[in-house]
Amino acid sequence: MKQMVIREAEQRDIKPMAQLDIICFHEPWSEEAFRSEIMENDRAFYIVAEIDDKLVGYAGLWAIVDEGHITNVAVAPECRRMGIGRAIISVLLEVAEQNGLNSFTLEVRESNLPAQSLYQEFNFKPAGIRKGYYLDNGENAIIMWRKNE
């Protein structure tokens, strides 16, 4: 694998992040949503992964008191199963913990078993279900939590 760089998201990443969202998600975020998150939301923190200066993944969270709500994790389909998701989640959690967050939550599609498995590697545990959470098809979301002791 070529050299991967993981860094904090910047204004120049807004368009590529939105383009990646279109490829990865049934309900992608708009460029404006990413602009707001990266440029205006002081509770939001996003990181990106690049290979050869091309954005191939990103992850983000919202810091709410001492909890982190992971908003999105995306990896380009052609780059999956290369450890990129694992790397960006690891960096995201490490930076968040260094900044005082000690528990984390996220929602994941019931059908997304690869993502659930990855989150479980980071000690996320299923804690509930949000019925009909995903608007595109009414699929349930599994709520997962990781609490640092």
Side-chain angles (χ1 to χ4, degrees):
M1 182 166 94
K2 298 183 189 237
Q3 182 73 25
M4 179 171 47
V5 173
I6 298 176
R7 60 172 175 76
E8 187 171 354
E10 301 170 358
Q11 185 171 359
R12 67 185 164 118
D13 300 312
I14 292 168
K15 188 178 202 77
M17 289 170 77
Q19 290 169 338
L20 183 59
D21 243 41
I22 290 168
I23 296 167
C24 291
F25 298 115
H26 296 286
E27 300 173 58
W29 285 13
S30 66
E31 276 187 49
E32 189 48 49
F34 281 108
R35 182 171 288 101
S36 175
E37 288 291 283
I38 293 168
M39 305 307 296
E40 299 166 18
N41 185 349
D42 60 0
R43 296 187 182 279
F45 176 70
Y46 285 81
I47 60 170
V48 297
E50 293 177 322
I51 297 176
D52 293 338
D53 296 321
K54 180 181 188 276
L55 191 140
V56 296
Y58 79 87
L61 65 72
W62 295 332
I64 303 166
V65 188
D66 62 350
E67 294 177 358
H69 182 107
I70 295 177
T71 56
N72 287 344
V73 177
V75 175
E78 69 275 13
C79 297
R80 291 182 183 157
R81 306 199 61 74
M82 295 170 55
I84 295 168
R86 186 172 289 103
I88 57 180
I89 291 169
S90 178
V91 170
L92 187 73
L93 293 172
E94 182 181 326
V95 171
E97 288 170 350
Q98 289 170 356
N99 284 282
L101 303 184
N102 59 33
S103 62
F104 301 88
T105 187
L106 56 82
E107 291 91 9
V108 60
R109 284 183 186 266
E110 238 174 7
S111 64
N112 193 345
L113 300 179
Q116 291 174 45
S117 176
L118 177 60
Y119 300 140
Q120 287 170 354
E121 288 181 31
F122 288 95
N123 297 316
F124 280 87
K125 308 233 181 303
I129 300 226
R130 292 198 199 282
K131 298 252 183 227
Y133 183 77
Y134 293 98
L135 300 176
D136 64 317
N137 65 359
E139 185 174 355
N140 296 338
I142 296 177
I143 305 163
M144 299 184 82
W145 277 93
R146 168 187 156 143
K147 298 187 188 254
N148 298 344
E149 302 302 325

